[in-house]
Amino acid sequence: MGQNSDRPAQAFLTRAKTQSPESAHHAVTGIDRNGRSRKVAGPSAKSGGQPPRRLIALAFVLAGANTAIADDMKMPINSGDLKWGPAPPTLPKGAEITVLSGDPSKDGPFVLRLKMPGGYRVPAHNHPTTESLTVASGNFHIGMGDKLDETKAIELTAGGFGEAPAKMNHYGWASTPSVVQIQGQGPFAITYVNPADDPSKQ
């Protein structure tokens, strides 16, 4: 991804180097506002058929900016190379977590994955910001409401997507071993509808 981002600037520099003075002076045919063809002069003789210096400078600036963006990007990673650890105590025991991007404990966007055994349940709760969830594998059920109700949830399979707006009460459970990817705006926080369901207080 980072390699492709430099292509526009590189292509411009390649054209600038390979353009001959003869081709640079050829007239270009254009269309005027009345629909008639007209000739547009190429670069002036003073420029020697070369692109203006400020365009070359701009190309270098763009190439530098693309390199800086690439330096800030995290390296791509396959699922088999992810490092998992126990989920935080605010989630029921038995799940594992890995952070793909950002820091869920700080302000800013984050992406994480939650790995759950079959039968894992998260009681009704809400978050201060919108939560987006994509099922990577398994069968994950999600529902909206103040209490976990298996009759009112929707089963999501691999590729399934769900979103809970900020402060909306929702719940979920995995009927088979499952992995879900969660995206949101940090810092991550969870408030259980029934305080007795909060694992960190048990």
Side-chain angles (χ1 to χ4, degrees):
M1 187 172 179
Q3 295 174 347
N4 295 336
S5 62
D6 289 342
R7 287 182 179 174
Q10 290 173 348
F12 172 81
L13 291 175
T14 301
R15 287 196 301 272
K17 291 176 182 178
T18 58
Q19 183 182 37
S20 67
E22 292 78 17
S23 63
H25 287 293
H26 287 176
V28 178
T29 301
I31 304 294
D32 66 15
R33 68 177 61 183
N34 297 318
R36 294 182 297 229
S37 62
R38 62 185 179 83
K39 289 186 177 181
V40 180
S44 67
K46 292 182 180 179
S47 67
Q50 299 301 316
R53 290 181 182 176
R54 55 186 173 177
L55 288 182
I56 294 177
L58 176 61
F60 279 112
V61 169
L62 291 175
N66 287 332
T67 301
I69 292 172
D71 290 342
D72 290 339
M73 291 176 61
K74 282 198 170 185
M75 290 299 293
I77 188 169
N78 286 305
S79 59
D81 298 323
L82 295 173
K83 295 181 180 180
W84 297 84
T90 53
L91 291 172
K93 292 181 180 180
E96 292 182 276
I97 193 173
T98 183
V99 177
L100 302 180
S101 178
D103 185 341
S105 69
K106 298 179 180 179
D107 185 37
F110 68 85
V111 182
L112 61 83
R113 285 186 184 174
L114 189 67
K115 184 191 296 185
M116 302 160 285
Y120 185 83
R121 296 156 67 95
V122 183
H125 63 279
N126 64 68
H127 308 284
T129 59
T130 298
E131 176 187 57
S132 298
L133 177 148
T134 302
V135 178
S137 64
N139 303 75
F140 188 76
H141 305 250
I142 186 170
M144 303 295 171
D146 299 339
K147 186 176 181 180
L148 194 152
D149 186 344
E150 294 187 5
T151 66
K152 296 181 180 179
I154 296 175
E155 180 182 15
L156 300 177
T157 56
F161 175 81
E163 185 173 275
K167 301 294 185 179
M168 176 173 279
N169 293 336
H170 59 286
Y171 52 86
W173 77 92
S175 55
T176 63
S178 304
V179 176
V180 298
Q181 181 165 301
I182 298 172
Q183 294 175 243
Q185 185 76 16
F188 176 83
I190 181 169
T191 301
Y192 289 89
V193 176
N194 181 356
D197 289 332
D198 188 341
S200 66
K201 298 178 180 179
Q202 294 174 355

